[in-house]
Amino acid sequence: MHSILIIDDEYPIREWLLRTIRMHYSGWRVDSAVNGLDALQKLEEADYQLVISDIRMQKLDGIGLLEQMKRSHPKVGGLVRRRH
């Protein structure tokens, strides 16, 4: 099964992304994390093919998360979303 991890510290945005992706990719598992540290823990617990992350977050931002993912999970694709 394919899986996606959504990371955003803002609940409404995170939930909207989860619902939208689940609606269009019903065969995929879609999980969420509230920040980069939470995401790293989830990456240790499960395999994800794609990570979609906000840039600005507390504890570990999206850029820092991608840098750590390159070292520890190089096969996971990453997309960082910038807030306007």
Side-chain angles (χ1 to χ4, degrees):
M1 172 184 286
H2 296 295
S3 56
I4 299 172
L5 181 59
I6 306 294
I7 305 113
D8 199 305
D9 57 344
E10 292 187 44
Y11 178 81
I13 293 170
R14 188 174 63 245
E15 288 302 308
W16 175 80
L17 284 167
L18 282 168
R19 282 193 313 270
T20 301
I21 292 170
R22 285 178 177 157
M23 182 173 51
H24 293 289
Y25 297 93
S26 59
W28 286 52
R29 185 181 84 227
V30 185
D31 298 323
S32 68
V34 297
N35 59 49
L37 292 178
D38 186 29
L40 286 175
Q41 181 177 353
K42 290 184 183 231
L43 285 163
E44 292 299 323
E45 298 168 357
D47 291 327
Y48 294 94
Q49 283 71 46
L50 178 64
V51 168
I52 301 172
S53 177
D54 188 5
I55 289 178
R56 294 183 186 141
M57 296 180 290
Q58 296 293 320
K59 298 187 182 179
L60 179 62
D61 65 15
I63 300 299
L65 171 62
L66 286 180
E67 288 171 353
Q68 289 194 29
M69 281 176 48
K70 280 186 212 177
R71 291 189 297 273
S72 58
H73 305 284
K75 293 185 179 183
V76 178
L79 172 66
V80 177
R81 180 185 66 84
R82 180 175 61 97
R83 270 185 249 178
H84 297 279

